[in-house]
Amino acid sequence: MTQDHGNGVRHYRWGHSELAVDFDFGGAGRADETGGPSGAAWAAGVGGDSARLLRVGRPGDPEPKDEDAEVRAALPLVDLVLAGEGTGFSGPRFTGTALGPRLRYRGHNATYDDGWHRLTVELHDPASELAVFAEYASPDGVPVLRSRVRLRNDGSAPVTLRSVSSLLLGALPSPDDLLVFRARNDWLAECRWYTEPLRASVPDIGRDVHEHDSRAAVRLAGRGSWPTDGHLAMGALNHHTDERSWLWQIESAASWSWEAGEAGGHTYLTLGGPTSDEHGWREVLEPGGEFGSEWGALALGTCFDGALAALTTYRRLVRRPHPDHERLPVIFNDYMNTLMGDPTTEKLLPLIDAAASAGAEYFCIDAGWYDDSAGWWDSVGAWLPSSGRFPGGGLGAVLDRIRSRGMVPGLWLEPEVVGVRSAVARELPDAAFLRHEGGIRVTEQGRHQLDLTHPAARAHLDEAVDRIVGEWGVGYLKLDYNITTSVPGLLSHTRAWLSWLSSVLDRHPSLVIENCGSGGMRMDGASLAVAQVQSTSDQQDPLRYPPIAVAAPTAVPPEQGAVWAYPQPEFSDDEINFTLGTALLGRVHLSGHLDRMSPGQLSLVRDAVATYKSIRGDLRAGVAFWPLGLPGWADEWVALGVRVPASEVTYLSVWRRGGAAERQLSVPQLAGREDVQVEILHPSAPASTAEWDGEAGVLRVVLPASPAVLLVRVASGG
């Protein structure tokens, strides 16, 4: 819908029943609107004015009180920096570039196909002759806006890019009204959300006196090939009065950046990939050359939980389809608190039998299967089985044993690295590795880093994977990554890496790939769209894992988020139930010395696995919420809920690590309902209680012991 206002500003509204996006095309040109849900809309600009994104909201959201102020607060549709151009504003900001306001509107094209609404707005810079395409997409009925920017050099001289925004949005509510959410993400302590008023970082400097906006902003950047080391590539703004939420992710397996600050008394938000100032990145576009930014996605909700539900739906729609997302098989992995990288035939065979008896459906042999000597860390790269670890039939006999017990065999692999002592490091050319300026190979912890843009590197990995999967019959690969680096060619490599993963799945469509980067250091939207399973952590302490498991659904849908459950024979029954219960609303990654357990202990494991299998069909469509709020790292009580939108069923897991024995869990979707049934699913013989209070809309839980866990199914009777 296009509206030409009397003041010469032409508004264009694009979206669907759950999304309304308003643009200002500056009164330029004429509109020739056609189509509808199955057609296309095209408007050609002849006046050469700028374009701005005014508002992203839901159709029922409050309209701005002062529309003219909203227009004044809007920013250019795209911000980018070229070498020699710089910014138009002093200070370390990703916005306010010299080139952004110079971009002229040329036209826009709107289409609808296969459940997605798409819009492309074409801009042009008359000085550099860059053609700029702002691309937007949104799944029908889902309040999520996906955005990126494509560039094409239509000039006769090269241009060097120093930064490109994926999404730039101004005219959000004042910083006075907003809270900003971020999530620290450190090794063994992932997904730790924290919040503060936006004004704490963006002070009111008295704009009416200085006639300038504040240079302050909330800035966050991920650096290097562990894109979620330090923070998740996410953030959110929440209105502290009406609870509206703007939640985003940047879909990059490399570096990224986002910023929220003040412009014209309103809040602006910009999302993007690597930049020159933050990451040393640059991209040279020769005449005719093209470049596309990383995708960013912005989800809207009436609260944080609602925005996360929309983002979860979106994540399921953009990821690669795979049967694993429907089946959710139970995976046993021999590493965590068990073999710890020291597999042998003697150790594996009893574990395989015990895992099958417990109900595991996949069995993954973790690190060490290729190790023929001490100090294998800096000699990996050939990915051939050890001859000494598997006597009497070799690794193949162990894989056969896994299959004979009705499980799919899996192997750990760290494909991107080559040890400095490996023969592969000498056989491949220097150009097959990531290199510093001057051509020096990247070396981290005794390992080189392959560059998947080079055909020799890709051919080496194709040979290894086709041997392991195609010849050995391995159906699960845990792809780990235990070094991190940051060099100018990283973005191209990570894009080639994801392309390579897709090609592997094209050749081996039943293969299941787990994405692990030293735990959750690669928990980004781009990787999650290709891999089937995501490691959430390497945390070995069962008492410290619950806050990670509870917050993990903010970053990954429940059916993809692998959570370790590692019961041990020396554990008490309560401790066994605790570690098993931590994984039941995620993806069960079973481990532990099951082969040394008593029959009674093993029955506890079987019961928990059976419970998981009984609910996993709901988890693949469930969306998370937090009855006690997002967890703090040291909280004595934490809780995770998963509601199933297509039914009246809700699952609640609650952990007590200390404090009083009773808590109330808010379940707002069932508030006021008296016909609610409560069933304790885990542990199988609970000492705890859970009762529904329909008037208050809460579940009253009593956990007499600590530590303890409870999984409850809450359903309306009709």
Side-chain angles (χ1 to χ4, degrees), residues 373-395:
S373 64
W376 55 262
W377 179 266
D378 59 359
S379 63
V380 295
W383 307 117
L384 296 171
S386 166
S387 58
R389 289 182 172 273
F390 310 108
L395 179 62

Side-chain angles (χ1 to χ4, degrees), residues 324-379:
D324 183 78
H325 299 316
E326 301 298 319
R327 296 198 301 257
L328 279 61
V330 174
I331 301 153
F332 186 95
N333 182 297
D334 69 25
Y335 183 82
M336 189 59 67
N337 292 348
T338 310
L339 300 189
M340 300 298 288
D342 187 27
T344 65
T345 299
E346 181 182 10
K347 294 177 181 179
L348 284 167
L349 294 185
L351 261 183
I352 291 167
D353 293 343
S357 176
E361 294 154 303
Y362 281 60
F363 188 103
C364 182
I365 303 171
D366 209 278
W369 59 267
Y370 39 78
D371 174 25
D372 251 338
S373 64
W376 55 262
W377 179 266
D378 59 359
S379 63

Side-chain angles (χ1 to χ4, degrees), residues 512-564:
V512 176
I513 289 178
E514 176 191 344
N515 179 53
C516 177
S518 198
M521 301 296 96
R522 228 180 193 178
M523 198 154 38
D524 61 273
S527 298
L528 280 164
V530 179
Q532 288 69 62
V533 180
Q534 170 65 52
S535 172
T536 59
S537 186
D538 280 346
Q539 175 56 250
Q540 292 177 246
D541 184 345
L543 290 178
R544 286 184 168 87
Y545 213 132
I548 301 170
V550 169
T554 62
V556 52
E559 69 274 16
Q560 282 183 274
V563 178
W564 288 104

Side-chain angles (χ1 to χ4, degrees), residues 36-125:
S38 60
W42 175 258
V46 295
D49 290 330
S50 62
R52 294 180 290 179
L53 178 55
L54 298 178
R55 188 175 76 100
V56 178
R58 303 179 75 172
D61 284 351
E63 295 290 338
K65 296 178 181 179
D66 185 345
E67 187 172 294
D68 290 336
E70 182 188 51
V71 171
R72 289 194 299 271
L75 297 174
L77 198 63
V78 173
D79 251 337
L80 60 100
V81 176
L82 304 181
E85 295 280 356
T87 65
F89 183 91
S90 298
R93 292 171 51 152
F94 301 147
T95 59
T97 66
L99 195 149
R102 208 167 67 204
L103 296 173
R104 304 293 92 183
Y105 168 80
R106 276 184 166 176
H108 64 273
N109 183 43
T111 62
Y112 177 85
D113 61 88
D114 198 24
W116 283 79
H117 299 263
R118 304 181 192 278
L119 174 69
T120 300
V121 182
E122 183 178 354
L123 309 169
H124 177 253
D125 174 32

Side-chain angles (χ1 to χ4, degrees), residues 155-357:
S156 58
V159 296
T160 300
L161 308 176
R162 297 182 62 235
S163 71
V164 184
S165 64
S166 297
L167 174 66
L168 180 60
L169 174 62
L172 291 168
S174 165
D176 294 325
D177 299 326
L178 296 177
L179 301 172
V180 60
F181 285 64
R182 288 163 281 184
R184 294 186 178 96
N185 199 70
D186 296 301
W187 185 51
L188 310 180
E190 291 83 354
C191 302
R192 292 174 293 124
W193 287 86
Y194 61 105
T195 184
E196 66 175 0
L198 185 56
R199 271 291 181 222
S201 295
V202 186
D204 183 351
I205 61 169
R207 186 177 185 276
D208 54 339
V209 175
H210 299 93
E211 298 182 354
H212 283 284
D213 291 313
S214 172
R215 295 176 182 174
V218 175
R219 301 181 183 90
L220 205 59
R223 297 175 179 85
S225 53
W226 280 348
T228 53
D229 179 24
H231 279 83
L232 292 178
M234 297 180 65
L237 295 170
N238 263 42
H239 199 288
H240 65 69
T241 301
D242 62 26
E243 295 292 316
R244 280 180 297 154
S245 183
W246 297 260
L247 173 68
W248 59 85
Q249 68 176 20
I250 302 169
E251 297 167 11
S252 177
S255 302
W256 51 269
S257 53
W258 63 258
E259 178 179 287
E262 186 172 17
H266 291 251
T267 298
Y268 71 83
L269 172 69
T270 181
L271 314 179
T275 71
S276 176
D277 291 346
E278 287 287 339
H279 310 99
W281 174 85
R282 64 180 182 179
E283 181 81 14
V284 178
L285 287 188
E286 299 292 340
E290 297 189 14
F291 174 79
S293 72
E294 303 286 71
W295 286 102
L298 178 69
L300 310 177
T302 56
C303 59
F304 181 93
D305 292 4
L308 194 280
L311 190 61
T312 299
T313 299
Y314 161 85
R315 286 166 169 165
R316 288 169 172 152
L317 290 171
V318 298
R319 71 189 178 192
R320 179 188 178 99
H322 195 282
D324 183 78
H325 299 316
E326 301 298 319
R327 296 198 301 257
L328 279 61
V330 174
I331 301 153
F332 186 95
N333 182 297
D334 69 25
Y335 183 82
M336 189 59 67
N337 292 348
T338 310
L339 300 189
M340 300 298 288
D342 187 27
T344 65
T345 299
E346 181 182 10
K347 294 177 181 179
L348 284 167
L349 294 185
L351 261 183
I352 291 167
D353 293 343
S357 176

